[in-house]
Amino acid sequence: MNQFEIYPAISNVRRNSLSGDFAMFGVSQHDAPIVSSFCAGINTENPITKRRIFLFDSFRGLPSPKKEEISNECSDNFSDGRKIIKQEIYKKGDFSYPKEKVLKSLNGACTHFFIEGYFEESLPNFKKDDYGSYLKFSAIWIDVDLPSSLTEVLDFLLTNNLLDKKCMIACHEGHQKNIIKKISSYEKFDILGYNNTNTCPFLIDSACYFTVK
């Protein structure tokens, strides 16, 4: 992630005066401080509404990919007409970031809650009442790589009514065809568009943005 990928979702919070918290599904020591800094900035702008960050991750890397998820075709279009296609190969444990390093990287100006474990274990045990009488998310970052993990996250958000009415969700895997297909399969979501932030022809890094209809 870079700040240009998450900024549309944060800008949406300001534009629509949303008061909910922030959430990250899939966390790294590089991504978390970006969201934390935005949270701290908004808290400074509006000290009456103190936002929190909820960080969902196993901190052990990816779960075991399903057979059809091991290899994903990824493509991206550039403004100058170039197109890159590559195969991404996933295995259990990829993208593991120790919780201690993530914690050390966070901006201390915000309150953080870690919800630790693989989603199939942690999400069913999450009780929003444990975090106050009101819990809604106004901006969400998803970087989970696997369609099955994305399904777990989206079902969790919808089932538990955790989305502000105009919440924007930013999904890092906008370049994965099977991820976009999965998002499109939900009737309750509208895909708003994509933000290609590439500056290097060897990198594929496009976020997909969507919201509740």
Side-chain angles (χ1 to χ4, degrees), residues 10-210:
I10 303 300
S11 178
N12 179 69
V13 171
R14 293 185 170 121
R15 184 169 59 253
N16 290 294
S17 300
L18 303 182
S19 58
D21 294 302
F22 296 169
M24 298 184 68
F25 294 86
V27 182
S28 82
Q29 69 223 54
H30 309 295
D31 299 345
I34 294 176
V35 179
S36 182
S37 293
F38 276 121
C39 183
I42 291 180
N43 282 349
T44 301
E45 293 170 8
N46 185 8
I48 296 175
T49 304
K50 285 289 186 181
R51 296 169 201 276
R52 304 166 294 180
I53 302 179
F54 290 76
L55 304 110
F56 297 78
D57 202 294
S58 69
F59 301 102
R60 290 176 282 159
L62 295 181
S64 296
K66 299 182 184 301
K67 184 177 180 180
E68 66 273 14
E69 295 177 324
I70 293 174
S71 177
N72 288 321
E73 184 179 274
C74 304
S75 63
D76 214 356
N77 293 299
F78 292 80
S79 58
D80 61 4
R82 289 174 296 149
K83 186 172 183 179
I84 291 178
I85 296 178
K86 71 172 186 177
Q87 291 293 119
E88 289 187 348
I89 309 298
Y90 298 118
K91 63 182 184 300
K92 184 175 182 178
D94 281 348
F95 313 119
S96 175
Y97 296 97
K99 179 181 175 181
E100 292 73 21
K101 287 188 176 181
V102 174
L103 181 61
K104 189 175 180 179
S105 72
L106 291 172
N107 186 322
C110 289
T111 301
H112 306 94
F113 294 101
F114 287 92
I115 294 82
E116 191 170 352
Y118 288 121
F119 295 148
E120 63 181 12
E121 306 158 355
S122 64
L123 299 187
N125 293 319
F126 181 84
K127 302 293 187 294
K128 66 178 183 178
D129 291 343
D130 291 344
Y131 302 96
S133 58
Y134 177 85
L135 175 59
K136 294 276 188 177
F137 296 134
S138 61
I140 295 175
W141 171 255
I142 299 178
D143 184 2
V144 296
D145 297 282
L146 304 177
S148 58
S149 295
L150 179 68
T151 298
E152 290 174 312
V153 170
L154 297 183
D155 287 349
F156 165 73
L157 293 171
L158 292 173
T159 301
N160 291 280
N161 193 27
L162 286 169
L163 301 175
D164 263 342
K165 188 174 181 180
K166 294 185 178 181
C167 170
M168 183 184 292
I169 302 169
C171 179
H172 180 66
E173 284 81 34
H175 57 283
Q176 280 195 29
K177 295 178 180 179
N178 54 2
I179 289 286
I180 299 304
K181 184 177 180 181
K182 177 59 66 176
I183 296 171
S184 301
S185 70
Y186 282 80
E187 293 183 358
K188 293 186 178 181
F189 291 124
D190 264 336
I191 293 182
L192 303 175
Y194 307 87
N195 178 28
N196 190 317
T197 61
N198 285 287
T199 56
C200 172
F202 304 107
L203 296 178
I204 296 177
D205 201 16
S206 295
C208 171
Y209 302 92
F210 56 103

